[in-house]
Amino acid sequence: MMDEEEERIGGMICSHLADVGPVDPDSLDACPECVALGDTWVHLRECQTCGHIGCCDSSKNKHATGHYEATGHPLIRSFEPGEGWWWCYEDEVVFEVEGVPPERPA
């Protein structure tokens, strides 16, 4: 049985998941914006609209969230080795997609 939130987004955990297609990361192991600034980051996130790699909100610069604010691209996923979770900024929900392995294997 679906709860009220699931009914609101058509039975999907995230209303933007149907719009996701394959993306190529714009970096293999770094936040390019932090590198350009000479800064470090804590964790990496990948935009599921365009492949932009940005640092997480625990990082000083919060480039993944900044990318969302600048572009409106709603979905990111962890770009940390072995992690497979996703986050939707607009629906404010964290989830994993069954059958989709982590972007960067452990």
Side-chain angles (χ1 to χ4, degrees), residues 21-35:
V23 296
D24 292 319
D26 63 5
S27 173
L28 297 179
D29 60 0
C31 174
E33 293 156 305
C34 283
V35 170

Side-chain angles (χ1 to χ4, degrees), residues 58-92:
S58 295
S59 301
K60 172 184 167 184
N61 298 300
K62 302 177 175 144
H63 285 123
T65 295
H67 177 74
Y68 162 68
E69 291 169 347
T71 64
H73 296 168
L75 281 172
I76 59 170
R77 69 187 289 196
S78 176
F79 201 62
E80 290 300 306
E83 293 185 2
W85 60 265
W86 300 51
W87 169 255
C88 179
Y89 286 102
E90 292 185 19
D91 293 329
E92 296 183 342

